[in-house]
Amino acid sequence: MVEKEIEEKVYKSIIKTIKDTPLEEFYTSGHRTCQGCESALVMRFLAKAAGQRTIVIGATGCMYVANTTYYSTSWIVPWVHTQLGGSGAAALGTAAALRALMRKGKIKQEPINVIAFCGDLGCADMGLSGVSNAMTYDYNLLIILYDNESSANTDIQETSMTPFGAQTSFSRPGKQRRIMKKRWKKSVVPMIIAGHRNIRYAATMTPAYPLDSINKIRKALAIGGPTFIHSLDPCPKGWDYDPRFSHELGVLAAETGLWPLYEYIDGEIVYNEPTKSIVEGRMKRKPVKEYLEKQGRFSHFTEEDIEYVQRMVDEMYEEWEIPGVMPIKSLNVKISDR
Ligand code: SF4
C-alpha cells in the first residue's frame, strides 16, 4: 500500500470523541475477572476498536483463565488459546495462514485483523523471543502486552515488569532485606523499536485514557505490518488497593511520569495525553509518592525508598536522550579509542 493510502486509512480510523466509539461489543459479559480489573477493559477496547472481522489470540494468563471457563466465554469474535510464551508464534502462524488461504482462493480476499495479547510474564519475559520473531516478518498482526506488573493468575509472582520494591509472593519484605525487587522495570517498547527497524507502529497506553487507547489500537491495525502496544493495567488484587481507584491509578501513573504515554510512528516519537504536556513543559509531574502511597504493595516503603523512585523518574525526563523513553544518555557509555 502506498504511503498516501496508509495515511488516509489511519486518518479515517481515528475516533474524535468517546461518543463516536462503536456501540457493538465483541468482548462482553461472562468473564470472571476481579472487580476493577483494567486488563478486562483492554480486552473490551481491543475488540471494540478492531470490530467483527478479527481473530483474537490469547496466551495463558489472567485474561485466559478468567475469560474462558469451560462452557462460558466473553469473546464474541473467534478466539485461540496459546501456551504462555506462544503468542508471537501463534499470531505469525495465523496471519501467514490467512494470507495463504486468500492467495489460494480458499477464502475471500478481505482484511481480517489478527490480534494477540499476552501478560507481562507471557510477553515481556518468556514470550519475548516469539514476539521479536513475529516483529521480523511482513505480516499484518498486532501484539498487545497487557501488563499488570506480576504473574497475577498464579498468585502474584514477580516478573521483569514488577516495579522496584513492590511486594509480590516472590518478593516479600523481610527483617533482613526490606527491598527484595531491586531492579528497575524493563522498557519493552524501546526494545521493540530499537531492535526491529522496519516496524512502523508501537505505543504505550493505559485504559484510564479510553479514547487514546482505542485510537492506538485502531492506528496499529490501520498502519499494518507487525505492530506492538504495551498497556499498563492497574490490578486491584496484585497492587492491593480498593477496586474503585483503578482509573485514578492509571492517571497517576501517567501524571507522575512513571508511565510515559507515547507512540512510535514511522521513526518518530509522538507523546500523548499528560506526557505530552510534561515533555513540552506545560505541566509539572506529580510526586511519585501520590501514586505509591495508594497501593498496599508499597506499604513497607520508607521515605528513602520513595526518594529513590523519584530520583529515577526525574532522571528519565531530565537526562535521557528521548525523555521518559530511551535511556541512551544515562548509560554514560564511553566510546572505545582502541
Ligand atoms: S488478578 Fe489483576 S489482572 Fe488478573 S483478573 Fe484480577 S484484577 Fe485482573
Side-chain angles (χ1 to χ4, degrees):
M1 210 188 299
V2 288
E3 300 285 300
K4 206 164 163 12
E5 271 179 73
I6 295 175
E7 254 172 53
E8 229 165 78
K9 220 174 143 209
V10 174
Y11 181 73
K12 277 193 196 143
S13 74
I14 293 170
I15 293 169
K16 303 274 179 325
T17 71
I18 203 77
K19 280 192 295 185
D20 303 324
T21 51
L23 288 176
E24 295 93 349
E25 301 286 355
F26 299 104
Y27 170 83
T28 181
S29 54
H31 59 85
R32 301 195 308 175
T33 63
C34 312
Q35 189 184 19
C37 173
E38 291 286 273
S39 296
L41 260 189
V42 173
M43 301 301 121
R44 187 176 170 205
F45 291 163
L46 80 85
K48 202 180 242 308
Q52 200 175 8
R53 306 306 285 158
T54 300
I55 297 173
V56 177
I57 297 153
T60 304
C62 268
M63 291 301 109
Y64 158 63
V65 175
N67 292 322
T68 56
T69 317
Y70 192 46
Y71 276 150
S72 109
T73 182
S74 35
W75 290 108
I76 292 176
V77 287
W79 178 89
V80 184
H81 170 231
T82 142
Q83 288 306 312
L84 193 45
S87 49
L92 190 56
T94 307
L98 284 175
R99 189 187 285 179
L101 288 170
M102 284 180 200
R103 193 185 61 236
K104 289 176 182 171
K106 302 217 169 180
I107 57 171
K108 201 170 88 182
Q109 285 275 0
E110 63 173 326
I112 298 179
N113 302 311
V114 175
I115 306 179
F117 63 79
C118 34
D120 40 313
L121 179 66
C123 189
D125 288 353
M126 69 176 75
L128 191 57
S129 58
V131 169
S132 169
N133 190 44
M135 294 293 130
T136 60
Y137 289 90
D138 190 21
Y139 286 103
N140 289 329
L141 57 95
L142 164 64
I143 295 182
I144 299 185
L145 159 53
Y146 71 96
D147 176 10
N148 50 22
E149 301 193 318
S150 70
S151 178
N153 70 310
T154 46
D155 198 24
I156 320 296
Q157 288 125 15
E158 183 190 315
T159 71
S160 60
M161 298 284 94
T162 302
F164 167 84
Q167 291 190 47
T168 65
S169 51
F170 281 6
S171 56
R172 290 263 179 255
K175 283 198 183 124
Q176 298 291 322
R177 287 171 69 191
R178 192 182 66 259
I179 299 296
M180 295 298 286
K181 170 77 200 293
K182 292 209 158 153
R183 284 180 184 254
W184 199 251
K185 186 179 167 90
K186 192 195 282 181
S187 299
V188 184
V189 173
M191 280 171 70
I192 296 284
I193 58 184
H196 308 83
R197 288 193 62 186
N198 291 334
I199 73 160
R200 303 192 58 195
Y201 189 85
T204 60
M205 62 175 240
T206 181
Y209 298 93
L211 201 56
D212 180 68
S213 303
I214 291 173
N215 275 330
K216 281 174 175 166
I217 296 163
R218 285 173 72 97
K219 276 191 226 172
L221 295 171
I223 289 173
T227 48
F228 186 85
I229 297 177
H230 184 175
S231 176
L232 179 76
D233 305 351
C235 158
K237 183 179 155 200
W239 299 14
D240 190 11
Y241 64 85
D242 189 297
R244 73 195 147 124
F245 295 122
S246 287
H247 264 39
E248 190 180 329
L249 282 169
V251 170
L252 274 174
E255 288 185 347
T256 54
L258 266 160
W259 187 245
L261 291 168
Y262 61 92
E263 299 167 290
Y264 167 85
I265 314 173
D266 277 333
E268 272 179 52
I269 298 283
V270 179
Y271 293 101
N272 322 107
E273 301 290 346
T275 311
K276 186 170 167 56
S277 310
I278 289 169
V279 172
E280 290 173 357
R282 286 180 285 110
M283 182 181 156
K284 222 170 141 14
R285 274 180 281 121
K286 286 191 173 161
V288 294
K289 190 175 185 180
E290 287 187 30
Y291 175 76
L292 301 175
E293 69 187 3
K294 290 192 168 57
Q295 302 169 56
R297 63 181 175 157
F298 301 116
S299 58
H300 57 297
F301 268 25
T302 60
E303 282 303 317
E304 201 184 36
D305 301 326
I306 295 171
E307 271 167 32
Y308 172 74
V309 176
Q310 187 63 63
R311 256 201 329 275
M312 290 292 276
V313 176
D314 292 347
E315 187 186 281
M316 276 166 62
Y317 286 84
E318 287 153 22
E319 316 236 338
W320 285 11
E321 180 78 27
I322 304 175
V325 182
M326 288 279 191
I328 313 282
K329 277 187 192 162
S330 69
L331 285 178
N332 205 11
V333 180
K334 288 203 181 87
I335 298 181
S336 165
D337 51 8
R338 276 188 290 163

